[in-house]
């Protein structure tokens, strides 16, 4: 049985197949409308979510299946003290596949050890968020036509941002990518991530000011300061508006420098950018449904001709 705990669970060849499948789903949705008739996805969300949970549920429904689950630990037996291991054993009796989001790093891995059904990591603490990476990669592939030979700026909370960790690890398998990490010193990218880049021979730089580097970027991945992972509110308040991408900054960027963001956005992208053709963050959400449909089919080993 196959799980999706990190994007590294897939080879780059398998990722290509997944993106091809997602692109075919986008083009021919009718072909897949009954692929999961009679199947159920359980969404076990111990942490807040809008996009990810609804996207998984919509993905299963688009395939003809159904969705069940809970949104918030307080609505589940976790509030009574049940372990993730016991919950997933129980859920294995109700559903064919599960997506789990938890505030503890490694929770999805624990679930997979005790599960009789495929488990998808929908975010584990400040660690990883593989399906966000799949849709980020699909968006880059669709917009740029390639997954190699570019300079990507990653800006904001690079310490706690799990989408950043999964994305960098995944991009570090494609050719000729230069990474520019833009963050306040307190929120710099963890050493274990830059160690991976060094080991694999990728070039990267770290800086504080977005205006110093924006002209050379082919892609800009903005992120929210992860308030829920801070130890004290004062630090959050000091850092939360460190970056605000606005029209003035966008004027300095290349004409095809697409702006990505996993969302939710707080203040880090001014709404005045939303109409800029380079704003790709709402497109990402749409690709997210196709890529999650492709992932569900792949993990359930369902083939549609
Ligand atoms: C991200 C997450 O949960 O890590 N959201 C999402 O799933 N699109 C990013 C964030 O919350 O900032």
């Amino acid at each position: 049985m196959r799980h999706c705990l990190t994007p590294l669970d897939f080879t780059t060849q398998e990722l290509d197949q997944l993106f091809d499948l997602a692109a075919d789903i986008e083009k021919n949705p009718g072909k897949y409308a009954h692929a999961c008739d009679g199947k159920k996805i359980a969404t076990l969300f111990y942490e807040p979510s809008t996009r990810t949970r609804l996207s998984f549920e919509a993905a299963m429904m688009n395939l003809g299946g159904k969705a069940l689950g809970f949104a918030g630990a307080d609505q589940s037996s976790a509030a009574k003290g049940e372990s993730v291991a016991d919950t997933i054993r129980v859920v294995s009796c109700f559903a064919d596949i599960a997506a789990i989001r938890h505030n503890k790093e490694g929770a999805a891995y624990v679930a997979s050890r005790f599960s009789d059904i495929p488990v998808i990591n929908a975010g584990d603490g400040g660690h990883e968020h593989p399906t966000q990476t799949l849709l980020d990669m699909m968006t880059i592939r669709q917009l740029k036509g390639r997954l190699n030979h570019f300079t990507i700026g990653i800006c904001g909370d690079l310490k706690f941002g799990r989408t950043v960790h999964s994305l960098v690890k995944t991009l570090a398998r494609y050719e000729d990518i230069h990474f520019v990490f833009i963050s306040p010193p307190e929120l710099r990218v963890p050493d274990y991530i830059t160690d991976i880049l060094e080991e694999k021979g990728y070039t990267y730089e770290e800086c504080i000011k977005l205006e110093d580097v924006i002209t050379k970027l082919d892609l800009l991945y903005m992120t929210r300061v992860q308030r829920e992972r801070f130890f004290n509110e004062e630090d959050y308040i000091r850092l939360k508006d460190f970056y605000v991408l606005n029209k003035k900054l966008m004027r300095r960027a290349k004409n095809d420098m697409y702006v990505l963001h996993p969302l939710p956005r707080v203040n880090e992208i001014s709404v005045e950018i939303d109409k800029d053709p380079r704003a790709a963050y709402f497109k990402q959400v749409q690709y997210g449904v196709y890529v999650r449909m492709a992932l569900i089919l792949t993990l359930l080993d369902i083939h549609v001709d």
Side-chain angles (χ1 to χ4, degrees):
M1 191 177 33
R2 244 189 131 163
H3 306 287
C4 172
L5 305 176
T6 152
L8 304 184
D9 285 337
F10 297 94
T11 63
T12 51
Q13 209 180 357
E14 286 172 327
L15 287 182
D16 270 341
Q17 284 165 5
L18 198 80
F19 300 141
D20 287 343
L21 178 57
D24 193 54
I25 290 170
E26 179 183 12
K27 260 198 244 130
N28 307 298
K31 200 169 121 185
Y32 298 89
H34 295 286
C36 284
D37 277 357
K39 301 277 184 205
K40 281 176 253 148
I41 187 166
T43 52
L44 316 176
F45 275 58
Y46 295 83
E47 268 197 338
S49 168
T50 302
R51 257 154 305 278
T52 307
R53 186 173 60 84
L54 297 184
S55 172
F56 270 116
E57 296 183 358
M60 187 49 124
M61 290 176 193
N62 290 347
L63 293 167
K66 291 196 164 73
L68 70 168
F70 55 83
D74 54 338
Q75 290 178 33
S76 78
S77 282
K80 300 181 186 170
E82 187 171 58
S83 66
V84 165
D86 283 1
T87 301
I88 196 72
R89 279 197 189 106
V90 170
V91 169
S92 296
C93 306
F94 305 144
D96 303 279
I97 187 165
I100 176 168
R101 166 171 291 189
H102 202 284
N103 61 336
K104 292 253 165 58
E105 288 78 5
Y109 174 74
V110 171
S112 73
R113 298 279 309 272
F114 294 91
S115 180
D116 294 327
I117 58 176
V119 171
I120 301 170
N121 180 4
D124 61 328
H127 182 219
E128 290 230 49
H129 191 345
T131 61
Q132 180 66 43
T133 296
L134 297 181
L135 74 91
D136 296 340
M137 302 286 288
M138 165 116 189
T139 308
I140 297 172
R141 197 179 90 143
Q142 298 294 98
L143 294 177
K144 287 273 177 208
R146 61 179 195 278
L147 283 169
N148 45 27
H149 305 293
F150 55 69
T151 295
I152 183 167
I154 307 185
C155 177
D157 186 347
L158 311 187
K159 179 179 180 185
F160 297 117
R162 56 194 173 194
T163 67
V164 172
H165 307 152
S166 291
L167 181 62
V168 175
K169 281 189 195 171
T170 308
L171 285 174
R173 298 195 293 175
Y174 293 82
E175 230 178 279
D176 183 30
I177 295 181
H178 178 63
F179 297 85
V180 183
F181 297 113
I182 308 139
S183 73
E186 296 89 333
L187 300 178
R188 34 177 309 271
V189 68
D191 289 341
Y192 82 89
I193 298 284
T194 49
D195 286 351
I196 295 173
L197 297 181
E198 277 166 34
E199 262 164 43
K200 295 182 144 196
Y202 285 86
T203 53
Y204 70 90
E205 56 195 286
E206 294 188 67
C207 69
I208 297 174
K209 287 192 172 168
L210 180 55
E211 51 268 40
D212 289 349
V213 290
I214 196 162
T215 51
K216 65 174 158 190
L217 305 178
D218 299 309
L219 288 160
L220 173 59
Y221 192 90
M222 294 294 294
T223 63
R224 169 182 74 91
V225 175
Q226 306 280 299
R227 179 181 203 163
E228 63 275 36
R229 317 245 179 260
F230 273 67
F231 294 109
N232 72 69
E233 186 73 2
E234 268 165 48
D235 284 347
Y236 170 71
I237 290 167
R238 188 167 49 82
L239 295 168
K240 74 182 172 62
D241 296 324
F242 205 90
Y243 299 104
V244 180
L245 183 65
N246 54 22
K247 267 192 180 161
K248 195 169 154 227
L249 271 169
M250 284 300 282
R251 257 182 238 124
R252 303 174 63 171
K254 290 185 184 171
N255 289 336
D256 59 351
M257 186 209 71
Y258 292 104
V259 181
L260 282 80
H261 190 307
L263 302 179
R265 143 184 66 187
V266 188
N267 292 324
E268 58 281 355
I269 301 180
S270 163
V271 290
E272 66 187 22
I273 307 295
D274 294 358
K275 290 204 188 81
D276 189 308
R278 294 167 292 181
Y281 28 95
F282 292 112
K283 280 199 191 102
Q284 279 170 272
V285 179
Q286 187 60 59
Y287 288 133
V289 180
Y290 305 133
V291 112
R292 290 189 172 103
M293 289 169 75
L295 180 66
I296 291 170
L297 291 174
T298 305
L299 294 180
L300 291 178
D301 203 18
I302 293 173
H303 301 271
V304 177
D305 301 314

